[in-house]
Amino acid sequence: MRTQGWRSLTLYLLTGLFLLGMGVFLFRLVTEGDMWAMQPYNRHLKTETTEVQAGGEAIWSGTITDRSGVTLVQTQDGERQYNDDLSIRKATLHTVGDLKGSISTGIQLQYRAQLLGYNPITGVNQIQNSSSGSTIELTLDASLCQTALQGLGNYKGAVILMNYKTGDILCKVSTPTFDPENLPADIETNNQYKGAYYDRTLSVTYAPGSTFKVFTAASAIQHFSDWDTRTYTCEGKEIINGNPITCMGTHGTLDIRQGLAVSCNILYADLAVDLGAVALTDTCKQMGFDRNWDLDGITVKASRINLDGATEDEIGWAGIGQYTTEVTPYHMMLAANAIANGGRAVTPHIISSITDGNGIVSTPETSYLTLLDSSTAAVLDELMRNDVIVDYGDSNFPAGMEVCGKTGTAEVGDDKKDTAWFFGYCRNPDTPYAFAVVVEEGGYGRTAAMPIVISLLQQLA
């Protein structure tokens, strides 16, 4: 009887292990089957005339185009081919993706199943030459991306611009970049390419500098009934909690509207201290901080604010976009989108349509995100429009677009030059563009980041 009991126990144990193993296998088949299918060891995948030669890289298929049908990457005669224009290849690299799959946010990797024509039931049996898999049309305008790449020059940084009425991302560029058809031999060792696999529009956070004053202003509007009559005095420097807060100028007595137009550090540091950590944090979280965004299934890194235990001077520095506060360019564009839409942002997307091998077309559904109440958004709209009229100069932008914006110059330390920012949108509903530009070690926002936006808007005019 004892022997029979052990046999039963062993049988139950083996059965349990088998069921567990099958469960793990089925789970991985669903979640990772597309990755298995595209590996180079799958030599049974063939074109009509020849075996796919992957050269140790993953097998890729399908076509990716921009919004006008410009081919960004496709498979022809068993070879993956990018656009003939080097600047287009480099400008769209981080959106399209590379051949090794090192850029984790690339459409080519994230949508590999659709591009390959794979599904977990039937798998994928044949790659039928250049028309295999799906055709994914992006919302990008390749020519706009070229302009953004040219504007960034040799700087590291990011440019992202969208239509805030439709949700279409028209321009999305990250640098440093490289030619996906000719991978640099020294990409792993040359400092020029450091961070080249990161999409800085989605996956890298930066100190926001003075662009964050828009968030501080939003918190004041929400929490102070006298926000529009409240004044502060700037003498160029102020001691808070024994530590200095400095300003680029000596502005005298200002209200919140005037302080944003001249980007007064003293006013916005004092305002943040008056608000306190809880109120400022609450507004920022409402406006999307500490939230992981999703761009067509691609995870966007969360912007962060943490004022737990912060002293008054640290809260002051946070109020002007320093301290530990960090944001992504995507989030800044989304905030501009929300302000332009009365507080209710249209969810951005990068996929325009997916046409599978059977000609069936799918398109994304429009959705919305509420980041602000409409009254706060209306005041911020007026403040950011005033910035451009009073400080940046409306004549610097294409006529009639009614640009609203805020520059930023963020200190990063380590003897590096400041990070330059410009974010905002066009108020004119006929030119509904929201944007964010960041230039690492670019210096001033108005001289490094704003000209890139101007060149994009001129092209869109």
Side-chain angles (χ1 to χ4, degrees), residues 51-248:
E51 183 179 357
V52 173
Q53 298 298 320
E57 296 170 343
I59 296 170
W60 305 101
S61 187
T63 300
I64 301 176
T65 74
D66 84 341
R67 67 187 298 107
S68 299
V70 174
T71 298
L72 303 179
V73 68
Q74 63 183 338
T75 297
Q76 287 191 325
D77 299 325
E79 293 184 1
R80 200 64 170 157
Q81 297 178 357
Y82 288 79
N83 190 278
D84 291 337
D85 190 310
L86 174 61
S87 63
I88 289 180
R89 295 200 298 268
K90 295 176 72 174
T92 60
L93 169 67
H94 290 89
T95 300
V96 173
D98 64 309
L99 290 176
K100 290 184 177 294
S102 298
I103 298 173
S104 63
T105 53
I107 295 296
Q108 189 165 237
L109 182 65
Q110 292 287 330
Y111 283 75
R112 56 190 179 269
Q114 293 90 333
L115 286 167
L116 194 60
Y118 167 89
N119 73 66
I121 304 300
T122 63
V124 56
N125 296 317
Q126 186 179 36
I127 294 179
Q128 299 173 349
N129 216 341
S130 60
S131 62
S132 65
S134 300
T135 294
I136 297 182
E137 180 183 299
L138 304 181
T139 60
L140 287 186
D141 182 321
S143 63
L144 273 180
C145 294
Q146 285 179 292
T147 299
L149 180 65
Q150 182 179 9
L152 284 168
N154 294 323
Y155 287 104
K156 295 179 180 180
V159 179
I160 188 165
L161 178 148
M162 70 175 292
N163 182 315
Y164 62 75
K165 293 300 182 186
T166 65
D168 292 357
I169 294 179
L170 304 177
C171 179
K172 180 173 162 297
V173 175
S174 176
T175 54
T177 184
F178 57 88
D179 182 359
E181 286 197 343
N182 299 284
L183 185 68
D186 60 348
I187 192 168
E188 303 293 346
T189 57
N190 189 336
N191 193 56
Q192 174 186 345
Y193 298 112
K194 187 176 181 180
Y197 294 137
Y198 288 106
D199 184 341
R200 282 165 160 75
T201 64
L202 309 178
S203 303
V204 176
T205 54
Y206 298 89
S210 291
T211 60
F212 187 80
K213 291 170 183 171
V214 173
F215 294 83
T216 306
S219 190
I221 294 163
Q222 290 179 335
H223 292 93
F224 294 147
S225 60
D226 66 341
W227 74 265
D228 56 339
T229 58
R230 184 179 283 248
T231 60
Y232 295 86
T233 300
C234 169
E235 296 180 351
K237 182 177 180 179
E238 184 173 275
I239 303 299
I240 301 179
N241 195 38
N243 294 301
I245 304 287
T246 56
C247 191
M248 294 293 292

Side-chain angles (χ1 to χ4, degrees), residues 13-29:
L13 180 61
L14 291 174
T15 302
L17 290 173
F18 172 78
L19 293 175
L20 177 63
M22 285 298 296
V24 171
F25 171 77
L26 291 173
F27 173 77
R28 294 191 64 190
L29 177 64

Side-chain angles (χ1 to χ4, degrees), residues 231-440:
T231 60
Y232 295 86
T233 300
C234 169
E235 296 180 351
K237 182 177 180 179
E238 184 173 275
I239 303 299
I240 301 179
N241 195 38
N243 294 301
I245 304 287
T246 56
C247 191
M248 294 293 292
T250 303
H251 298 115
T253 300
L254 302 167
D255 62 24
I256 290 174
R257 179 183 288 100
Q258 294 167 329
L260 191 66
V262 298
S263 201
C264 179
N265 285 350
I266 301 302
L267 184 152
Y268 275 86
D270 286 345
L271 183 59
V273 171
D274 286 352
L275 282 164
V278 173
L280 185 57
T281 299
D282 285 349
T283 298
C284 287
K285 289 190 174 184
Q286 178 189 351
M287 294 180 71
F289 277 81
D290 296 332
R291 191 185 307 181
N292 285 314
W293 302 107
D294 178 286
L295 175 61
D296 290 340
I298 301 169
T299 299
V300 181
K301 188 174 182 179
S303 298
R304 297 297 185 193
I305 183 168
N306 183 1
L307 300 180
D308 293 345
T311 59
E312 284 195 343
D313 57 305
E314 291 169 339
I315 295 171
W317 279 114
I320 58 177
Q322 298 290 166
Y323 190 46
T324 59
T325 306
E326 292 186 332
V327 296
T328 60
Y330 176 91
H331 182 198
M332 295 302 287
M333 177 194 69
L334 187 64
N337 169 354
I339 297 168
N341 279 308
R344 188 168 177 252
V346 176
T347 303
H349 57 266
I350 196 73
I351 303 291
S352 178
S353 66
I354 301 177
T355 305
D356 68 17
N358 297 315
I360 299 174
V361 180
S362 58
T363 57
E365 295 182 0
T366 302
S367 59
Y368 302 89
L369 297 162
T370 299
L371 301 184
L372 284 166
D373 61 81
S374 59
S375 59
T376 301
V379 175
L380 292 178
D381 173 73
E382 189 274 322
L383 295 182
M384 293 177 71
R385 179 66 183 139
N386 184 63
D387 277 0
V388 174
I389 294 171
V390 171
D391 192 22
Y392 310 136
D394 209 24
S395 61
N396 287 320
F397 300 92
M401 285 193 172
E402 300 180 47
V403 175
C404 308
K406 183 72 187 79
T407 59
T409 303
E411 298 177 6
V412 294
D414 297 328
D415 297 322
K416 293 182 179 180
K417 291 180 64 177
D418 297 338
T419 296
W421 277 96
F422 185 51
F423 93 110
Y425 57 93
C426 303
R427 179 192 276 178
N428 188 333
D430 293 330
T431 55
Y433 307 120
F435 49 80
V437 174
V438 61
V439 184
E440 295 182 23

